[in-house]
Structure formats: structure tokens, C-alpha cells
């Protein structure tokens, strides 16, 4: 069994950069620290440090061990904080992974109900690519993943996709740019400068198919994984951009842009992916219920 005291000594030395500095912080002799780290290396059967002149440098294995040790002692600190807190001041920790293809405004609206529970909730949000977030879900580092698609087929992760809702898309342009277009909708998009979501966004393929059906050939001037960055470029007049219709009024007000048109033939879908087939976590239940009852109510059937 791993000796966590020895692991702590190794972690302290790695963070301090030398045995002498670490011994001063831990109020131990350098000989004691050196001996304990030697015992740890002997027990693991690997070298964690290399001596380069008077300095100690982590081996490749040592760097790997340090990354794990960082997490071990971070969790230890969180455990201590939780146990020291008074019962009435404790909150439920709700860890959410947000696929970076999900617009920030949609993520905010979906997560807000979790903050209104009778029992206090502390939300910890991580934004990343869906494939990496599903790994986090599998090892229980997050409780839920918000995504613009269900869990991909063939994914080696046991999880369940719960559809929260869907809506059409709306096209926007900075007022000066919008004034340049006089054709009827959707012909105004032909040859127009367009900002589109990145290739990993679920809406990208149906959007391009919709252009083909309507024989529209926009001039693509930018593509973005981050919808907020795409909207910033659109607000600056670089090109026309899209957003889910459910937040169309909000986008128009916040960015001072003009709505050019919308389509329900291309939809954006949003999912909560969890390890639970039947939702039981109070925060997840609140998100699911509010999405169906309010945010996407009466737009589309589930």
C-alpha cells in the first residue's frame, strides 16, 4: 500500500525545488527527507529524482507522480475543508463539464436552476472538447456533461444521453453590414461573408447541407470552436453569424446586431450526459425539468 506520508515528502520536495528548502518548511532534517524519499522510490521500484550537480530534477516518472500527487493533496484539502465546515454551511458540489460547442448563454440558462435549490449548491464548471469531458465523466471527475449532441456511438464510456431540447437557428449581422443586403431571405446569404461554427460543432454539417439544398454559396470568412468568439467577430462586422433561436432576442440586445432571418430546418440540440439512466442528482433533475418546462417549452417535441 502506498505510504502517503512519504508521498507528501516527495511532493513537498518537488514543489520546493530542493530538499533543504522543503526540510525547512516541514521542520525536518534533510537526512530524514532524503531517507523517506529513498524508501518511497524503493517501494515503487522507480527513480523520482535525478541529481544534476547540486540540483534535483524530476525524472519523467517523477513528473507523472507529481501530477497525481497534486490531485491527491488537493482532494485532501477539499476533504478537510468539507469536514471542518459546519453542517448548516455545507453545500452540494456539482461538477459540470460543458462542451465548448455549447453557447455560453445556453449553458448559463441550463445551469441556473441548479443554483435555486433549497440546499446550497456549489457549481464547478469545466469547458473542453466533448471526447475529453466524457473521459472525465467516466472517472467521476464530473457529474454531468452538457453537449450539443448525444454521446457518440461506439464511445467506450458507460453513460446516458438525456435530451434537454432543441431549436432552430437565427442569422445575425452588424447593422452596417446588414444594410448591404437587399435580396429576399435566404438568398441574401449567397456570396455574403459568413462566420460558421467549427467542424466539431453538431450544427455544422446540417447547416452546410441546408446551404446546398437552397443553392446558397456563402463566402466563409471564419470558423470558430467558441461561439462567444464567433459572436464577437460578428458584432465587429466581420461577417454574418448564427446562434440558437431560443436566445435570438438576447443576442440581438447584447451585441446590437440585426436579425436577418431564421430557419427551423436546421436545429441545434442540447443534451445532458450522465452516468445515470434515471436522473436522481437534485441539480441534474432541476436542469432537466426547467429545460423542458421553460427554456425549450412548446418549441419542439422531446
Amino acid at each position: 500500500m502506498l505510504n502517503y506520508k512519504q508521498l507528501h515528502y516527495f511532493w513537498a520536495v518537488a514543489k520546493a525545488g530542493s530538499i533543504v528548502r522543503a526540510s525547512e518548511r516541514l521542520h525536518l532534517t534533510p537526512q530524514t527527507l532524503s531517507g523517506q524519499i529513498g524508501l518511497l522510490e524503493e517501494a515503487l521500484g522507480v527513480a523520482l529524482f535525478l541529481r544534476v550537480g547540486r540540483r534535483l530534477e524530476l525524472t519523467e516518472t517523477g513528473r507523472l507522480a507529481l501530477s497525481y500527487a497534486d490531485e491527491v493533496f488537493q482532494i485532501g484539502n477539499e476533504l478537510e475543508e468539507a469536514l471542518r465546515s459546519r453542517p448548516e454551511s455545507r453545500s452540494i458540489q456539482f461538477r459540470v463539464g460543458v462542451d465548448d460547442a455549447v453557447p455560453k448563454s445556453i449553458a448559463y440558462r441550463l445551469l441556473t436552476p441548479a443554483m435555486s435549490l433549497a440546499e446550497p449548491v456549489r457549481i464547478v464548471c469545466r469547458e473542453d472538447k466533448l471526447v475529453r469531458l466524457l473521459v472525465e465523466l467516466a472517472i467521476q471527475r464530473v457529474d454531468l456533461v452538457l453537449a450539443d449532441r448525444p454521446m457518440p456511438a461506439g464511445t467506450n464510456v458507460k453513460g446516458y444521453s438525456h435530451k434537454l431540447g432543441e431549436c432552430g437557428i437565427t442569422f445575425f449581422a452588424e447593422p452596417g453590414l446588414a444594410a448591404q443586403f437587399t435580396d429576399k431571405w435566404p438568398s441574401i446569404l449567397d456570396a455574403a461573408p459568413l462566420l460558421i461554427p467549427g467542424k466539431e460543432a453538431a450544427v455544422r454539417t446540417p447547416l452546410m447541407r441546408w446551404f446546398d439544398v437552397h443553392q446558397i454559396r456563402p463566402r466563409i470568412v471564419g470558423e470558430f470552436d467558441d461561439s462567444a468568439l464567433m459572436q464577437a467577430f460578428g458584432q465587429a462586422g466581420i461577417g454574418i453569424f448564427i446562434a440558437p433561436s431560443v436566445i435570438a432576442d438576447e443576442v440581438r440586445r447584447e451585441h446590437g446586431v440585426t436579425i436577418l432571418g431564421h430557419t427551423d430546418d436546421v436545429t441545434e440540440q442540447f443534451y445532458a450526459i450522465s452516468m445515470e439512466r434515471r436522473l436522481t442528482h437534485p441539480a441534474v433533475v432541476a436542469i432537466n425539468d426547467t429545460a423542458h418546462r421553460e427554456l425549450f417549452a412548446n418549441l419542439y417535441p422531446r
Side-chain angles (χ1 to χ4, degrees), residues 94 110 137 143-146 159-165 270-292 302:
F94 181 43
L110 290 172
L137 181 68
D143 303 303
L144 182 77
V145 173
L146 294 180
Y160 302 93
S161 302
H162 308 275
K163 188 175 181 179
L164 299 173
F270 301 97
Y271 289 83
I273 303 175
S274 74
M275 301 292 285
E276 303 175 315
R277 181 190 295 273
R278 180 176 177 274
L279 300 179
T280 59
H281 192 296
V284 180
V285 171
I287 289 169
N288 183 67
D289 290 349
T290 304
H292 289 151
R302 297 184 193 179

Side-chain angles (χ1 to χ4, degrees), residues 78-262:
E78 291 175 1
L79 173 61
E80 183 179 8
E81 180 182 346
L83 294 178
R84 288 181 181 276
S85 299
R86 294 177 298 176
E88 62 269 23
S89 66
R90 290 180 190 165
S91 59
I92 301 173
Q93 187 177 73
F94 181 43
R95 302 163 300 173
V96 185
V98 180
D99 179 5
D100 56 15
V102 175
K104 305 294 188 299
S105 180
I106 293 286
Y108 168 73
R109 289 194 184 195
L110 290 172
L111 292 174
T112 298
M115 304 298 293
S116 303
L117 297 176
E119 193 168 359
V121 174
R122 174 186 174 189
I123 289 185
V124 179
C125 285
R126 295 193 179 103
E127 188 177 19
D128 208 335
K129 300 294 184 186
L130 179 58
V131 63
R132 288 196 284 267
L133 291 175
L134 291 177
V135 173
E136 296 280 292
L137 181 68
I139 59 178
Q140 299 182 2
R141 286 186 177 174
V142 296
D143 303 303
L144 182 77
V145 173
L146 294 180
D148 67 343
R149 72 196 74 190
M151 181 178 294
T155 303
N156 191 26
V157 173
K158 184 179 179 182
Y160 302 93
S161 302
H162 308 275
K163 188 175 181 179
L164 299 173
E166 66 178 309
C167 64
I169 60 171
T170 297
F171 293 75
F172 305 84
E174 180 271 332
L177 178 61
Q180 300 176 22
F181 307 114
T182 56
D183 290 343
K184 292 183 179 180
W185 176 260
S187 300
I188 60 174
L189 297 174
D190 194 45
L194 183 70
L195 309 173
I196 61 173
K199 293 181 179 179
E200 293 191 20
V203 73
R204 168 74 173 262
T205 298
L207 174 63
M208 302 309 289
R209 191 181 302 122
W210 183 77
F211 286 140
D212 288 339
V213 168
H214 290 275
Q215 298 183 335
I216 294 171
R217 297 291 181 270
R219 180 167 53 89
I220 297 174
V221 295
E223 53 184 280
F224 303 83
D225 290 334
D226 189 317
S227 61
L229 184 58
M230 180 173 68
Q231 292 176 13
F233 272 72
Q235 182 180 11
I238 304 300
I240 296 168
F241 66 96
I242 67 168
S245 294
V246 73
I247 57 170
D249 287 340
E250 180 181 326
V251 171
R252 178 181 57 80
R253 289 193 307 269
E254 289 190 358
H255 297 284
V257 291
T258 299
I259 294 178
L260 298 177
H262 72 276

